[in-house]
Amino acid sequence: MPEPIKPKPSSPPVNSRQLITQANTSKTQNIVEQIVKTIDGLTEGLQKYPIRDLVKHAEEFGPYLKQQRLETNQVRKFLDAVNRLKADLTETGEFSKIETEIVLLKPKLAYAAARQKAAKPLGEVMSAAIDKVYSKEDFERLVQLLESIIAYHKAEGGK
């Protein structure tokens, strides 16, 4: 008696680990897009980013950066520059004196992303945020966003 003909699988079998990785990558890529979309939709500057949304986004984004193996030393120059600007603003109280330096943070992010793939999502989010910084209050919200992301990244075990 002839054996029944079995249909050939159309694609190679995928293990559950690959499926989970693909699902996580898709979900987490969505968080980058979601944050950027939220920021791009702010018409009056970054200060209008609702703080509860900011924290919720950071809570999802921090672990994603850990998953991407981002290490803070990869974006250290960026972090140091933001902290220096924060100190300058506290000292002078004049946003106009740091405005140019805020915009120049974008090349630091681009450099970090070019050197290390894991820094690219952070660069995308922070570049969108920097584009919405027009005032002292906007800058303060930028700092809150960055500090929140880094806090959740570290809480997830990021270095």
Side-chain angles (χ1 to χ4, degrees):
M1 184 166 176
E3 253 185 72
I5 298 173
K6 295 180 185 175
K8 292 183 179 179
S10 59
S11 62
V14 178
N15 68 35
S16 60
R17 188 178 202 173
Q18 287 173 320
L19 287 174
I20 291 168
T21 301
Q22 288 171 352
N24 286 344
T25 301
S26 171
K27 178 186 171 199
T28 49
Q29 183 57 34
N30 288 342
I31 188 61
V32 174
E33 292 168 6
Q34 187 179 5
I35 295 170
V36 170
K37 183 178 177 184
T38 300
I39 291 169
D40 286 347
L42 301 173
T43 57
E44 299 177 41
L46 197 61
Q47 65 182 303
K48 296 298 182 182
Y49 194 163
I51 193 67
R52 292 183 192 279
D53 291 346
L54 181 151
V55 170
K56 181 178 152 274
H57 287 153
E59 188 175 10
E60 294 176 40
F61 192 47
Y64 170 64
L65 293 175
K66 164 68 168 80
Q67 177 190 341
Q68 296 298 305
R69 294 190 170 91
L70 176 74
E71 294 180 13
T72 49
N73 67 340
Q74 295 165 347
V75 289
R76 177 61 53 204
K77 286 183 181 180
F78 174 74
L79 296 171
D80 290 346
V82 168
N83 287 330
R84 193 171 51 255
L85 292 174
K86 184 178 167 185
D88 290 350
L89 185 60
T90 300
E91 188 178 309
T92 66
E94 295 180 47
F95 175 76
S96 61
K97 294 199 179 211
I98 64 165
E99 187 172 9
T100 300
E101 294 302 315
I102 292 170
V103 175
L104 289 172
L105 291 171
K106 288 178 74 168
K108 287 179 176 30
L109 287 166
Y111 180 72
R115 290 193 64 204
Q116 187 68 30
K117 182 183 167 203
K120 188 173 188 261
L122 181 64
E124 288 179 42
V125 167
M126 296 312 295
S127 287
I130 289 167
D131 288 342
K132 295 294 182 173
V133 175
Y134 309 115
S135 68
K136 178 181 177 181
E137 293 77 17
D138 291 332
F139 178 71
E140 289 168 354
R141 186 69 81 188
L142 175 79
V143 171
Q144 290 170 339
L145 175 62
L146 181 61
E147 288 175 346
S148 297
I149 291 168
I150 298 300
Y152 281 111
H153 173 259
K154 291 214 183 251
E156 196 67 23
K159 299 176 182 178

